[in-house]
Amino acid sequence: MKKILSLILKTLLPILLGAVILYWIYRDFDFNRVADVVCNEMNLWWFALSTFFGVMSHVLRGWRWRLSLAPLGYAPSTSNCVYAIFIAYAANLVVPRVGEVSRCAVLDRCDKVPFVQSLGTVVAERFIDTIMVLALVAAALLLQWKVFYTFFITAGGGTDDGQLYSSVTKIAIMVASVAAIVALGYFVGKKMALLTKIKAVIRNFWEGVTALGKMKNSSLFVIETVGIWFCYFMQFYLCFFCFTFSSDLSMAAGLLLFVAGSVAVVVPTPNGAGPWHFAIISMMVLYGVSQEDAGMFALIVHSSQTALVALLGVIGLMLVRKNEKNICQTK
């Protein structure tokens, strides 16, 4: 019974939370306009370039992961590392944060890299990525402090005369988001508490965490880390040029919106659905984009990026299985 309840909480609650937030955001939205904008107004060349950077962010993350495993004495296939990243991000669409586990499982199965040690490198990578996010947050606040301060005070809401949310809605969204983060922390804490009871597991896990400190080619790791986040930003920023209503937004504005979206996805909903839309729409409204156009931008961009993640996950799964068959045939 406890396992079933835990599965429900970890799987259904994030989906429900995202759905509720999306409902509040888009309850008065004209969805009939979406197809017209995509077919007749959207610049698909900019969208294609944005998609390229989206794919490259995954590829670079796979390359970086292989580099972080080298100090442990493992040299998994570069392609399998990339495919594992594809699969991991797609898995996160189903159950938030399960991707970290799934990608380690892929390398354990395909290249015999011990699961716990590879998980340790993932934790170390996440720490590095957190530093990158904090650096981007600092840069965005430095460049766009006035806009951020306005967002912080209003949280994208206000009165009923055309602004985005009522006070009740704002509070409900924020409380639900905080509750979701606390719930996620509870489950992660339980898992870590279980791990601490197993000394061998902890030792292997710690070896993975400290592997970055033993890395010989640290400069390449830094370059790939910067490259990953550059690709993330470009994937988002280039979407501004896909629409006439957002094409005149500055790169500084793009950085602030990107940071807001990156922080919003901490809330455990599938691919940040709901909180990400809330943050992006609220920010765009402050930059003078109409509420309807901001909602259109968030809906199309998030949906297309989610579809890309799902597609790459399917491709990654197919290619991993193909590699496994080829290995079996050569034996």
Side-chain angles (χ1 to χ4, degrees), residues 4-26:
I4 295 176
L5 180 59
S6 176
L7 180 63
I8 292 175
L9 290 175
K10 289 188 288 185
T11 305
L12 296 184
L13 281 186
I15 296 175
L16 180 61
L17 174 62
V20 169
I21 297 175
L22 286 174
Y23 169 77
W24 276 106
I25 294 173
Y26 288 100

Side-chain angles (χ1 to χ4, degrees), residues 77-139:
S77 163
T78 302
S79 59
N80 280 341
C81 288
V82 174
Y83 301 154
I85 296 296
F86 288 173
I87 294 170
Y89 276 80
N92 282 335
L93 298 179
V94 181
V95 180
R97 310 298 181 257
V98 77
E100 284 77 1
V101 175
S102 65
R103 66 155 148 160
C104 296
V106 170
L107 282 198
D108 190 2
R109 177 174 176 177
C110 297
D111 292 285
K112 307 306 178 185
V113 178
F115 176 88
V116 178
Q117 286 181 296
S118 63
L119 184 61
T121 64
V122 172
V123 172
E125 284 186 2
R126 288 304 184 193
F127 176 73
I128 298 298
D129 288 334
T130 299
I131 294 176
M132 287 296 297
V133 171
L134 293 176
L136 290 171
V137 168

Side-chain angles (χ1 to χ4, degrees), residues 232-241 249-252 254-255:
Y232 283 156
F233 173 70
M234 292 304 293
Q235 181 189 17
F236 175 76
Y237 175 64
L238 292 177
C239 288
F240 283 177
F241 302 102
L249 293 177
S250 66
M251 183 172 287
L255 179 60

Side-chain angles (χ1 to χ4, degrees), residues 134-181:
L134 293 176
L136 290 171
V137 168
L141 294 184
L142 184 64
L143 294 171
Q144 299 284 283
W145 169 253
K146 290 184 178 179
V147 177
F148 172 78
Y149 180 75
T150 304
F151 170 76
F152 182 78
I153 294 299
T154 64
T159 62
D160 295 329
D161 55 353
Q163 293 189 351
L164 194 55
Y165 303 108
S166 68
S167 297
V168 175
T169 304
K170 287 189 294 181
I171 294 172
I173 290 176
M174 292 178 182
V175 169
S177 298
V178 171
I181 294 174

Side-chain angles (χ1 to χ4, degrees), residues 253-272:
L255 179 60
L256 185 58
L257 266 74
F258 173 72
V259 165
S262 299
V263 173
V265 298
V266 172
V267 181
T269 61
N271 205 28

